[in-house]
């Protein structure tokens, strides 16, 4: 058990998602010594890998567009090289606590390949595990009563086993829409809950917009693309799919919410092969009750409800920064603890967080 090494370092960054990399890039520019620990085997793992086997076209990931850092997924490797970011992959953070005698963060990490344990002692700890970490299934009334299958979209592989089954997809983002489409192709009796306002675009519209965005302001691109979408899809409100007032790319920037890239689900909805349902008010043994009072029977519910971060599982001294359920209180905690990219401010939020954190570290620099 004496099989571990120890290293002193100025800063430990946990997570090599977009936030972790931007923070590390900012620190490297200032010549501040840092290490990025990532349990997966590549950067921005969730963007690259958390799509199921049939479709890999969450385009939203490719046009992740960062004004300050000019980062796009296909440029990610260049970005990583340019700023000399060297994440330690397949390195899982198992336990972190503040050692007040040493005045250091003690980070216990495990190399998932070799099983080797490494301890880091750092002055600062930056959590950049992202908001999307573990499949999130909301606590819905009656969910524990349901006798059918309940899964999260990240565990969905294919619609094959749902042939002739009644399946409810909860969540109308890209994952939800793609899964509904896939299910319907496998002749499952598919319904989808649409509660939030969404923009629906085609892949071509997104490509067009990406070109236009090089030359035109977002507001203008939004207007053009919204017209194009309206022409293509007609009246989505009639299909019970409400649209935001704000344009598709403005929403992406301000709220971090990507437009839904239609892969065919809208046609299926128009044909009545996928049924759109309102919010859920109750879940019973075999049925679900909806906000409009209707009750339908289901064999399975698939939650395409996103991901949730859970640093409180391994971080002992989190109370200055998170509530017990992982809700963020503050981007800056005690003893040099920071959170990057949890702010739900979308794309600019990532850069703003990184800049605020590095500025703060510069000023309190014990390093
Ligand atoms: C995730 O995706 C990357 C890039 O496409 C690939 O190199 C890596 O092996 C994938 N990892 C897993 C676990 O699928
Ligand atoms: C983890 O262990 C493997 C096998 O010994 C080694 O090749 C790899 O470089 C180690 N990873 C890190 C991040 O140190």
């Amino acid at each position: 058990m004496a099989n571990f090494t120890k290293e002193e370092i100025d800063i430990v960054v946990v997570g090599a998602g977009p936030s972790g990399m931007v923070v590390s890039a900012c620190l490297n520019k200032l010549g501040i010594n840092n290490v990025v620990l990532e349990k997966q085997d590549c950067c921005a793992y969730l963007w690259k890998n958390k799509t199921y086997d049939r479709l890999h076209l969450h385009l939203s990931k490719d046009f992740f567009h960062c004004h300050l850092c000019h980062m796009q997924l296909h440029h990610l490797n260049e970005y990583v090289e340019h700023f000399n970011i060297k994440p330690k992959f397949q390195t899982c953070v198992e336990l972190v606590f503040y050692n007040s005698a040493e005045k250091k963060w003690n980070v216990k990490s495990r190399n998932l390949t070799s099983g080797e344990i490494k301890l880091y002692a750092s002055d600062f700890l930056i959590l950049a595990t992202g908001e999307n970490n573990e499949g999130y299934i909301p606590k819905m009334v009656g969910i524990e009563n349901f006798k059918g299958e309940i899964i999260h979209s990240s565990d969905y592989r294919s619609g094959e086993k749902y042939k002739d089954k009644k399946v409810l997809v909860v969540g109308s983002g890209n994952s939800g829409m793609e899964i509904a489409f896939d299910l319907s192709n496998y002749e499952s009796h598919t319904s989808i809950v649409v509660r939030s306002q969404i923009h629906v675009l085609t892949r071509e519209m997104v490509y067009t917009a990406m070109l236009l965005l090089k030359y035109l302001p977002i507001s203008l691109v939004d207007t053009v693309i919204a017209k194009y979408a309206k022409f293509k899809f007609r009246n989505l409100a009639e299909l019970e799919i409400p649209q935001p007032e704000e344009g598709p790319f403005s929403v992406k920037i301000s709220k971090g919410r990507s437009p839904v890239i239609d892969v065919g689900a809208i046609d299926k909805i128009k044909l009545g092969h996928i049924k759109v349902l309102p919010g859920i008010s109750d879940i019973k043994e075999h049925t679900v009750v909806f906000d409009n009072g209707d009750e339908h029977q289901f064999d399975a519910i698939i939650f395409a409800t996103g991901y949730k971060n859970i640093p409180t599982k391994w971080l002992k001294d989190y109370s200055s920064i998170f509530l017990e359920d992982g809700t963020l209180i503050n981007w800056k905690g005690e003893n040099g603890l920071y959170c990057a990219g949890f702010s739900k401010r979308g794309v600019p939020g990532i850069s703003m967080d990184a800049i605020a954190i590095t500025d703060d570290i510069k000023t309190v620099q014990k390093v």
Side-chain angles (χ1 to χ4, degrees):
M1 192 40 226
N3 170 30
F4 67 82
T5 46
K6 195 166 176 180
E7 183 177 331
E8 297 233 341
I9 190 148
D10 295 336
I11 300 175
V12 172
V13 179
V14 186
S19 308
M21 288 189 292
V22 175
V23 170
S24 180
C26 292
L27 294 168
N28 289 349
K29 272 200 276 189
L30 296 171
I32 302 174
N33 185 5
N34 67 91
V35 65
V36 181
L37 307 180
E38 169 60 56
K39 72 168 176 258
Q40 305 297 350
D41 60 1
C42 60
C43 296
Y45 172 85
L46 276 173
W47 289 355
K48 292 181 186 168
N49 302 60
K50 280 273 176 177
T51 41
Y52 58 95
D53 54 9
R54 198 181 154 275
L55 295 155
H56 290 271
L57 40 70
H58 284 260
L59 260 175
S60 49
K61 292 168 293 190
D62 292 325
F63 70 86
F64 182 95
H65 198 79
C66 178
H67 294 287
L68 279 162
C69 49
H70 304 290
M71 183 164 72
Q72 288 181 323
L73 186 60
H74 49 281
H75 294 145
L76 212 60
N77 294 340
E78 291 154 49
Y79 185 90
V80 167
E81 229 160 78
H82 180 75
F83 290 103
N84 198 26
I85 307 166
K86 297 201 189 79
K88 297 225 179 287
F89 293 120
Q90 298 230 284
T91 300
C92 179
V93 171
E94 296 194 327
L95 181 67
V96 178
F97 61 92
Y98 187 69
N99 184 328
S100 36
E102 283 181 15
K103 293 205 171 10
K104 298 266 188 201
W105 286 96
N106 287 14
V107 179
K108 179 184 167 203
S109 71
R110 179 188 297 273
N111 179 329
L112 293 175
T113 317
S114 63
E116 201 184 332
I117 303 281
K118 182 154 184 175
L119 300 178
Y120 290 92
S122 68
D123 294 314
F124 300 95
L125 177 72
I126 302 175
L127 305 172
T129 46
E131 290 173 271
N132 6 350
N133 210 321
E134 212 161 77
Y136 168 66
I137 295 185
K139 290 195 183 76
M140 287 191 158
V141 181
I143 194 167
E144 68 284 357
N145 301 328
F146 192 67
K147 292 273 191 278
E149 182 188 1
I150 290 183
I151 66 164
H152 185 261
S153 55
S154 56
D155 295 321
Y156 179 86
R157 292 292 168 264
S158 148
E160 206 173 346
K161 69 179 237 201
Y162 299 102
K163 187 175 185 321
D164 297 324
K165 293 264 166 38
K166 298 188 184 73
V167 184
L168 177 64
V169 179
V170 181
S172 53
N174 275 303
S175 303
M177 285 292 198
E178 282 178 17
I179 288 173
F181 176 68
D182 195 47
L183 285 165
S184 161
N185 283 339
Y186 281 100
E187 291 165 46
S188 116
H189 304 282
T190 313
S191 304
I192 186 166
V193 170
V194 179
R195 272 176 316 170
S196 43
Q197 302 178 327
I198 50 173
H199 279 293
V200 182
L201 304 179
T202 61
R203 229 185 304 187
E204 291 69 30
M205 289 174 198
V206 174
Y207 285 134
T208 309
M210 282 168 73
L211 277 179
L212 295 178
L213 281 168
K214 290 189 181 151
Y215 309 103
L216 302 174
I218 286 186
S219 57
L220 196 55
V221 176
D222 269 344
T223 311
V224 171
I225 297 298
K227 281 228 162 71
Y228 187 1
K230 177 121 198 182
F231 176 77
K232 162 90 181 156
F233 296 115
R234 306 288 161 182
N235 196 350
L236 288 177
E238 269 176 16
L239 304 175
E240 311 293 333
I241 302 174
Q243 311 247 268
E245 284 286 316
E246 208 181 354
F249 297 94
S250 308
V251 169
K252 170 76 184 159
I253 297 292
S254 69
K255 310 222 168 55
R257 213 183 309 140
S258 305
V260 171
I261 315 288
D262 181 50
V263 293
I266 299 296
D267 274 346
K268 296 268 191 188
I269 291 171
K270 284 182 179 161
L271 290 169
H273 297 172
I274 298 175
K275 197 161 165 184
V276 176
L277 294 170
I280 293 174
S281 57
D282 193 13
I283 300 177
K284 300 181 180 172
E285 283 189 8
H286 301 284
T287 62
V288 175
V289 186
F290 295 87
D291 288 345
N292 60 4
D294 288 355
E295 183 167 346
H296 300 285
Q297 197 197 326
F298 293 101
D299 301 305
I301 306 177
I302 299 173
F303 282 92
T305 36
Y307 298 85
K308 195 173 171 67
N309 64 287
I310 29 89
T312 51
K313 274 193 188 166
W314 42 262
L315 176 63
K316 292 303 144 204
D317 303 286
Y318 62 78
S319 62
S320 64
I321 207 156
F322 291 115
L323 297 179
E324 212 162 316
D325 67 357
T327 308
L328 184 68
I329 314 169
N330 201 344
W331 63 279
K332 180 183 172 183
E334 288 165 1
N335 304 316
L337 173 63
Y338 300 93
C339 247
F342 288 75
S343 57
K344 290 206 162 87
R345 277 172 306 165
V347 175
I350 290 177
S351 309
M352 275 150 54
D353 285 0
I355 290 166
I357 291 170
T358 34
D359 280 352
D360 202 72
I361 288 177
K362 264 192 299 183
T363 57
V364 288
Q365 209 168 22
K366 292 183 274 181
V367 296

